[in-house]
Amino acid sequence: MLKAAFMFVTPEANPGEHKAVIRTPMVELHVVGVKNYDEACEVAKKLVEDGIAAIELCGGFGHLGVARVVEAVGGKVPVGAVRFDIHPGLEGKSGDSIFG
C-alpha cells in the first residue's frame, strides 16, 4: 500500500486540526493544511518520519515553496506539485508572493 500525502497552504490552516486520512485498497492519502512554507517544511519532515512515501503540494505552493519542501525532506521521498499560473484561492497570486 502506498502511503502518500497532499499538503495545501492557506493562512488560517492548523495542521493539527485541518487534516484527514483517506484509505483505499491501494493508497492511504494523508491530507493536511499548513499556514506557511516554514510550517510546510516541518510537517513534511514529520510525514516522512511517519512513513509517507510521496508528497504532493497544492497549487498554492509557488516555486520557492516547492523547493523549500524538497530541501526539507532531503531526497528521502519524491515531492510533486499541482501547478497553476495563478491560483484561484489566493486572489490570482502565487504562494511565493504571500508565504515566501
Side-chain angles (χ1 to χ4, degrees):
M1 173 180 288
L2 172 65
K3 283 182 70 175
F6 177 78
M7 192 180 317
F8 65 96
V9 61
T10 187
E12 300 298 322
N14 174 341
E17 180 182 343
H18 301 115
K19 62 183 180 177
V21 178
I22 302 164
R23 291 179 180 87
T24 73
M26 303 275 303
V27 176
E28 180 179 293
L29 178 65
H30 295 245
V31 179
V32 60
V34 295
K35 68 180 174 224
N36 56 42
Y37 292 170
D38 290 334
E39 191 166 74
C41 291
E42 293 305 312
V43 169
K45 289 178 195 175
K46 178 76 171 112
L47 289 167
V48 172
E49 288 173 9
D50 292 344
I52 292 296
I55 298 173
E56 184 169 17
L57 304 175
C58 82
F61 283 85
H63 298 289
L64 298 175
V66 173
R68 288 189 55 192
V69 172
V70 168
E71 182 178 5
V73 300
K76 294 178 182 169
V77 302
V79 177
V82 175
R83 299 297 332 146
F84 288 97
D85 292 331
I86 55 172
H87 192 281
L90 298 175
E91 299 175 356
K93 300 175 185 171
S94 163
D96 289 352
S97 65
I98 298 170
F99 308 111

